[in-house]
């Protein structure tokens, strides 16, 4: 375990051991082994809580984790604090979060007059098999969102220069993820993708307008009926060769 995680997790396990104390009030080593040690106790508790939830609330695991989990590096998942209002847009998500808070797996804190939710123990990210499976299945999204955040940071450093917005393949990828998992993105991330799409649409519209202007200018230079196309003249000569020879004579 990381040093900063050790004491909170030890406190969690001691609470679990206290619940399993003997009739004489003794904390038995066998109970500790049954819990699976420090990490096992955490994983076991998470699975117990999850299994106790009705299926619609269990289904909230995906959107909740999509907001709470980030990649600190390409291979290192980490937690982040999210406002409870954002994390719980419906009763199912609220039920999931509340159950994990009551079990000591999530924590809440108040910052700038809003309630924030996060992992009580980030070891849960590494030791709960169900969450490990979720991380494997959603790694592509998490990696993309990490790249998106880097792009947003660069964009903000240029004072929101339109040239730092997404374009081409990067924009196509972003709009695809946005359509699939908009609930897993924050307001700034969605704004960045929307602005990128709006700029791409404006560029495309300007190119089409320019093409139409050039076509109209070409028509003005060569009005219909003023000048016959060379191909048409050649066809007439081929159809009436004798008339052409008489004109020459």
């Amino acid at each position: 375990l990381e040093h900063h995680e050790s004491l909170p997790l030890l406190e969690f396990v001691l609470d679990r051991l206290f619940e399993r104390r003997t009739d004489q009030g003794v904390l038995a080593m066998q109970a500790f082994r049954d819990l699976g040690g420090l990490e096992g106790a955490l994983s076991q508790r998470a699975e117990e809580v999850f299994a106790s939830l009705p299926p619609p609330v269990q289904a909230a695991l995906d959107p909740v984790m999509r907001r709470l989990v980030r990649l600190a590096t390409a291979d290192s998942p980490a937690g982040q604090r999210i406002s409870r209002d954002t994390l719980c847009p419906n009763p199912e998500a609220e039920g999931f979060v509340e159950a994990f808070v009551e079990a000591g797996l999530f924590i809440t804190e108040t910052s700038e007059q809003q309630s924030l939710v996060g992992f009580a123990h980030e070891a849960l990210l590494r030791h709960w098999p169900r969450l490990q499976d979720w991380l494997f299945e959603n790694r592509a999204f998490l990696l993309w969102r990490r790249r998106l955040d880097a792009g947003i940071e660069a964009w903000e450093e240029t004072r929101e220069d339109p040239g730092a917005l997404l374009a081409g393949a990067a924009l196509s990828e972003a709009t695809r993820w946005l359509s699939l998992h908009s609930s897993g993105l924050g307001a700034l991330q969605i704004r960045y993708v929307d602005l990128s799409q709006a700029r791409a649409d404006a560029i495309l519209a300007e190119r089409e307008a320019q093409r139409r202007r050039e076509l109209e200018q070409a028509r003005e230079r060569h009005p219909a009926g003023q000048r016959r196309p060379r191909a048409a003249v050649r066809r007439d000569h081929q159809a009436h060769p004798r008339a052409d020879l008489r004109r020459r004579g």
Side-chain angles (χ1 to χ4, degrees):
L1 287 176
E2 298 292 337
H3 177 69
H4 68 278
E5 296 178 357
S6 301
L7 289 179
L9 185 52
L10 181 59
E11 180 183 5
F12 173 85
V13 174
L14 287 174
D15 286 341
R16 297 282 286 157
L17 281 173
F18 185 74
E19 294 171 359
R20 300 187 178 203
R21 65 191 183 278
T22 66
D23 294 339
Q24 293 75 34
V26 176
L27 305 182
M29 179 57 70
Q30 186 58 49
F32 180 73
R33 294 193 184 99
D34 290 343
L35 287 172
L38 295 178
E39 298 88 350
L42 192 63
S43 170
Q44 186 181 110
R45 182 57 173 157
E47 192 60 28
E48 288 173 356
V49 173
F50 181 84
S52 71
L53 301 173
V57 178
Q58 289 182 349
L61 179 144
D62 180 75
V64 168
M65 294 304 173
R66 205 173 290 281
R67 293 308 308 272
L68 286 181
V69 177
R70 64 184 178 88
L71 290 182
T73 66
D75 298 310
S76 300
Q80 56 187 354
R81 300 284 194 266
I82 299 295
S83 76
R84 188 158 186 157
D85 289 342
T86 299
L87 193 61
C88 303
N90 52 58
E92 292 76 21
E94 178 63 40
F96 186 96
V97 169
E98 183 59 30
F100 272 62
V101 169
E102 289 182 358
L105 299 167
F106 289 172
I107 58 171
T108 60
E109 60 184 36
T110 301
S111 176
E112 298 180 358
Q113 297 183 339
Q114 65 175 341
S115 176
L116 301 179
V117 178
F119 288 100
H121 315 283
E122 290 203 359
L124 191 65
L125 289 161
R126 298 185 295 277
H127 299 290
W128 185 20
R130 186 178 298 276
L131 187 49
Q132 285 283 295
D133 291 343
W134 182 90
L135 285 165
F136 178 79
E137 293 170 0
N138 290 276
R139 187 171 183 272
F141 171 78
L142 296 173
L143 283 170
W144 167 77
R145 193 175 62 187
R146 187 168 181 265
R147 294 195 302 272
L148 181 71
D149 288 339
I152 291 173
E153 185 178 350
W155 174 62
E156 290 180 325
E157 288 176 355
T158 64
R159 298 184 179 182
E160 300 189 358
D161 181 356
L165 291 170
L166 298 170
L171 177 57
S172 297
E173 183 183 27
T175 55
R176 182 175 69 87
W177 282 122
L178 181 59
S179 67
L180 290 173
H181 300 303
S182 61
S183 63
L185 299 174
L188 178 58
Q189 293 164 328
I190 293 174
R191 176 172 175 260
Y192 181 66
V193 175
D194 286 345
L195 287 174
S196 298
Q197 185 63 63
R199 180 172 183 266
D201 292 343
I203 291 173
L204 184 62
E206 176 55 32
R207 287 176 179 170
E208 178 61 20
Q210 179 64 28
R211 187 189 69 82
R212 291 178 179 277
R213 286 193 297 268
E214 292 174 354
L215 183 60
E216 186 61 30
Q217 290 170 359
R219 287 172 177 168
E220 290 174 356
R221 287 196 296 269
H222 306 291
Q226 184 181 70
R227 183 177 180 182
R228 300 180 70 193
R230 292 181 180 179
V233 173
R234 284 197 299 270
R235 285 195 299 270
D236 286 348
H237 289 175
Q238 293 169 358
H240 305 287
R242 293 181 180 179
D244 188 50
L245 288 174
R246 285 197 298 271
R247 284 197 296 272
R248 292 183 182 178

